[in-house]
Structure formats: C-alpha cells, structure tokens
C-alpha cells in the first residue's frame, strides 16, 4: 500500500486462515513472516518464528474456526513468543473472535469472552483488530484498544450490484434481536423492513441465568424493623414469599411486515447452525417472497449446515472470508464469498502509521 513504511512490520499467522493472511500481506506489499505453528504427537502446540521481531510491530492474523480451542492457543503462544522476543507492539488481527456469543452470564456458568479477553491481554497483545463482534460491549472486556471493523459496506455493495431489482426487496430480521441491524440496512438502502416474531429456537435472553431460583422459605426470611403506620399506608404488600416470575410463552412464527411478491434479504452477523434460517425462509416463502437471500459477516457453517442450506428454499447465502469455508462451498453451490482483506490491510496500515481509524467507520451508526 502507498505511504507505508513496511521495514518494521512483520505479519505472521497461525493455522486458522493462512489464505486470508497471505491476501492481506500481498495487498500491503509484504511477504508473510517466517512463523511455523505445528502440533506434537501429544497435541501440544509449538511455535517457531524464524525472522527477527526485536523492536518491530507484529501483526498476528488468526481467526476463529470450528477448531476454536486450538486457534486460541496458537494465538496466545504466538503473542507470548513475540513478547519474550522483545517485539515493540503485538497486534492480534482476529476477524472472527471465538466465544463471542458467550458474553452473558448463564446459570452456574461464566462470561467466557471476558476470560478470553484477559488471556489475550496477559499473553502480550497490545491491540486487537476484529470485525462485527456479536455484542459491541465485548470491547469493554479488554484492557487494550479494540478496533471493531464493519463488514456492512461490503454487504450493502453486494446487494446493490449483485441482486437484480434489489429495489423490490425487503430487509428481514429473523428474530427481534436482529431488528436493529436489519433496520440499519433498510435505512441505508431505503427499503422496507420485516421482522419474524415467535422464534422456535429459544432466544439467548430467555435462557435460564439463575434469576429464577426458588425464593427462600418464609422461616429463613430476615426480620426487618417495624414499619410506621404512615409508611404502611403507602406500601403495597404481596402474598407470602417472593412472587413467581411469569413464564414467557412465545407465539407461533409470524411476520411483521409485507414480503408478498418481494425479494427477502435476511441479515445477521453469524451463520452457524442454520435451522433457524431455514425455518425463517420457509415462513417467508409461505408468505409470498419470490426470492430469499441470507447475508452475514461470518460463515461458520458448522455440522451439516451446507446440506441443510442446499436443500432449503434459500436462493443464495453470502458471507465474507473472515472464516475459511471452501469445503462448505463445495458442498453447497449457493454459498458466495466477499473478500474483506482490503479492509484489514487498510486497518493495519492506519494503525502502523498512527493515522485515524475514523475513515473506516464513516457513516456507521450504533446499530450496524
């Protein structure tokens, strides 16, 4: 790239996505640094860096895949190896952050993404570049700067250039939790919005998180000081004990909005287990949608997702190359890929040259 002093930049990568690392290095006019990551027979991870990193700015490109635990250990060991080799700065380029969906407290569980953030900071990383976090608040778990890039400009451009008659489209949120993102796309494209309500799969907000534990018995309830007569008149009492929390009963799948005779475009940040997407697509088809597209930043596509998508009524699935999915593309001809290496390369260039990152976030709202 122009105006970039590349003499003290070293780009290395683990085994998660070497193709993306090579594309980023090529766009910056650099060669990939000499780093080999392999596993011994006992599955321990070994990292060997052949080039000198002393006093240099290291960019470790390592994304999350279905082998998330190995991806994490490779990243941590590479970062610590650079730290102990006196690197000036160590930037983790993690297009898809593993465990980002485990960012809320669950019953007798923990916030795993907070633990992962602490591990990354301890390993020696001084900066994080990622893309479309599941929840933007995850940035607060880190004690180092985090740049959360957006893939929405690439997806919006794809809609405008590659979907025929996109003006006859409607942006669809497959559940109310995605409504903000879908609304942002609809406003930018000046299209209508539809929301599917009554998800069959249990939503994250409905999972048991310990707040519905049985209340203490009346005998164990602590005694309080007597209440004055004037205060008692303004106090509403309840029956014995703590009142029970009403159970949520979700209605059957319904669509809020008109999709009849329109092109339905579902948007999300991650496609992993696709049953909910397939169920939403069937509902859209029953309500008269003529074509159905699914657009997402990260295409994890676990288990038998390619087969289910290929057999579904979805016409096209569009994801970026933050996660490698070449095998899945061979199993499902509907999957299309958008290259975002240019965005990562530009982010690295700006950070290295100490330039503002605001240009990469121009016209981006909180809902994106």
């Amino acid at each position: 790239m122009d105006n970039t002093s590349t003499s003290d930049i070293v780009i290395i990568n683990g085994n998660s996505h070497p193709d993306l690392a090579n594309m980023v290095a090529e766009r910056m006019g650099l060669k990939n640094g000499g780093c080999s990551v392999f596993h011994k027979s006992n599955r321990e991870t070994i990292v060997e860096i052949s080039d000198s990193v002393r006093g240099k700015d290291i960019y470790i490109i390592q994304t999350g895949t279905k082998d998330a635990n190995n991806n994490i250990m490779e990243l941590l060991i590479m970062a610590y190896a650079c730290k102990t080799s006196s690197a000036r700065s160590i930037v983790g380029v993690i297009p898809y952050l593993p465990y980002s969906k485990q960012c809320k407290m669950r019953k007798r569980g923990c916030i795993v993404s907070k633990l992962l953030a602490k591990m990354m900071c301890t390993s020696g990383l001084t900066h994080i570049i990622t893309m479309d976090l599941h929840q933007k608040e995850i940035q607060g778990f880190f004690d180092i700067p985090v740049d959360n890039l957006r893939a929405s400009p690439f997806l919006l451009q794809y809609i405008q250039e590659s979907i025929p008659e996109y003006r006859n489209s409607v942006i669809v949120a497959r559940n109310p939790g995605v409504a903000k993102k879908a609304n942002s796309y609809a406003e930018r494209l000046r299209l209508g919005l539809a929301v599917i309500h009554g998800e069959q799969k249990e939503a994250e907000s409905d999972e048991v998180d310990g707040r519905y534990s049985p209340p203490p018995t009346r005998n164990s309830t602590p005694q309080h000081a007597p209440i004055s007569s004037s205060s008692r008149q303004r106090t509403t009492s309840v029956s014995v004990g703590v009142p029970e929390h009403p159970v949520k009963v979700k209605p059957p799948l319904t669509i809020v909005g008109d999709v009849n005779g329109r092109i339905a475009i579902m948007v999300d940040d991650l496609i992993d287990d696709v049953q909910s997407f397939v169920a939403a697509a069937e509902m859209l088809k029953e309500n008269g949608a003529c074509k159905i597209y699914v657009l997402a930043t990260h295409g994890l596509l676990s288990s038998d997702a390619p087969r289910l998508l290929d057999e579904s009524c979805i016409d096209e699935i569009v994801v970026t190359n933050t996660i490698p999915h070449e095998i899945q593309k061979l199993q499902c001809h509907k999957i299309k890929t958008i290259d975002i290496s240019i965005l990562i390369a530009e982010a690295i260039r700006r950070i290295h040259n100490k330039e503002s990152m605001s240009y990469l976030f121009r016209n981006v709202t909180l809902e994106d």
Side-chain angles (χ1 to χ4, degrees):
M1 284 188 151
D2 297 327
N3 303 321
T4 305
S5 175
T6 60
S7 59
D8 54 351
I9 292 182
V10 177
I11 294 178
I12 62 176
N13 63 276
N15 297 320
S16 65
H17 204 343
D19 291 340
L20 178 62
N22 291 332
M23 284 189 285
V24 172
E26 183 179 352
R27 287 186 179 277
M28 299 191 68
L30 300 170
K31 70 177 185 68
N32 208 330
C35 177
S36 59
V37 182
F38 56 93
H39 301 278
K40 296 177 66 176
S41 57
N42 62 358
R43 301 306 297 163
E44 288 185 0
T45 302
I46 305 294
V47 172
E48 293 180 355
I49 302 176
S50 58
D51 297 339
S52 173
V53 298
R54 182 178 295 273
K56 295 186 177 181
D57 297 323
I58 313 301
Y59 294 86
I60 305 174
I61 300 178
Q62 179 82 337
T63 193
T65 66
K66 288 182 283 188
D67 193 13
N69 295 333
N70 271 331
N71 301 150
I72 292 167
M73 281 308 301
E74 289 179 6
L75 173 64
L76 297 178
I77 295 174
M78 284 189 290
Y80 192 65
C82 294
K83 177 183 178 181
T84 55
S85 299
S86 303
R88 180 169 60 187
S89 66
I90 308 166
V91 180
V93 183
I94 315 168
Y96 170 63
L97 183 68
Y99 289 98
S100 59
K101 293 192 75 171
Q102 297 192 46
C103 58
K104 296 179 182 179
M105 179 61 74
R106 299 290 177 237
K107 184 178 182 180
R108 300 184 186 90
C110 65
I111 303 177
V112 182
S113 54
K114 169 69 172 177
L115 171 63
L116 182 58
K118 287 292 184 183
M119 292 167 63
M120 289 182 178
C121 295
T122 304
S123 69
L125 292 175
T126 59
H127 199 128
I128 296 290
I129 300 174
T130 187
M131 183 171 291
D132 282 341
L133 288 170
H134 184 62
Q135 296 288 340
K136 289 179 283 294
E137 292 77 12
I138 293 175
Q139 297 174 79
F141 295 158
F142 291 85
D143 298 327
I144 55 178
V146 177
D147 286 311
N148 183 28
L149 305 178
R150 306 290 194 272
S152 53
F154 294 87
L155 298 175
L156 288 167
Q157 184 180 32
Y158 183 89
I159 293 173
Q160 293 172 318
E161 297 180 357
S162 301
I163 296 182
E165 300 180 1
Y166 83 92
R167 289 293 182 189
N168 187 38
S169 302
V170 58
I171 305 298
V172 179
R174 65 183 177 90
N175 59 48
V178 196
K180 282 188 177 181
K181 178 183 285 290
N183 183 61
S184 176
Y185 276 73
E187 289 179 349
R188 294 181 187 283
L189 295 169
R190 294 171 176 80
L191 298 176
L193 175 68
V195 179
I196 298 178
H197 180 55
E199 187 76 19
Q200 292 177 343
K201 184 179 177 181
E202 188 176 46
E204 290 182 13
S205 58
D206 298 332
E207 293 180 11
V208 176
D209 57 7
R211 289 179 293 180
Y212 308 125
S213 299
T217 60
R218 187 178 183 185
N219 294 334
S220 62
T221 304
Q223 299 296 322
H224 299 283
I227 304 175
S228 64
S229 58
S230 59
S231 299
R232 189 177 292 110
Q233 294 175 358
R234 300 192 301 271
T235 303
T236 301
S237 61
V238 296
S239 58
V240 177
V242 179
E244 292 187 10
H245 199 284
V247 178
K248 286 185 179 180
V249 179
K250 288 193 172 184
L253 283 175
T254 55
I255 298 178
V256 182
D258 181 24
V259 297
N260 188 28
R262 314 281 286 279
I263 301 172
I265 304 174
M266 283 189 280
V267 296
D268 212 329
D269 63 323
L270 172 68
I271 301 179
D272 188 7
D273 297 322
V274 300
Q275 287 88 348
S276 59
F277 288 94
V278 172
E282 291 173 353
M283 172 65 65
L284 292 169
K285 209 70 175 177
E286 291 173 2
N287 283 265
C290 57
K291 272 195 171 183
I292 301 172
Y293 291 78
V294 175
L295 276 70
T297 303
H298 311 295
L300 200 53
L301 302 171
S302 299
S303 188
D304 58 348
R307 179 184 62 82
L308 293 175
L309 290 173
D310 200 45
E311 296 174 355
S312 71
C313 57
I314 298 174
D315 294 282
E316 197 167 284
I317 302 97
V318 183
V319 293
T320 71
N321 59 342
T322 56
I323 300 173
H325 51 266
E326 293 305 316
I327 296 177
Q328 288 87 338
K329 288 178 72 173
L330 294 175
Q331 298 171 337
C332 177
H333 70 282
K334 300 178 181 180
I335 301 174
K336 303 293 176 62
T337 307
I338 298 176
D339 178 24
I340 45 81
S341 60
I342 187 172
L343 179 61
I344 295 175
E346 178 64 12
I348 292 174
R349 188 192 71 81
R350 286 178 173 273
I351 290 173
H352 180 70
N353 290 342
K354 298 179 174 58
E355 297 178 13
S356 172
M357 294 286 286
S358 299
Y359 177 80
L360 301 181
F361 300 101
R362 67 192 187 282
N363 299 326
V364 173
T365 61
L366 293 175
E367 289 79 12
D368 285 350

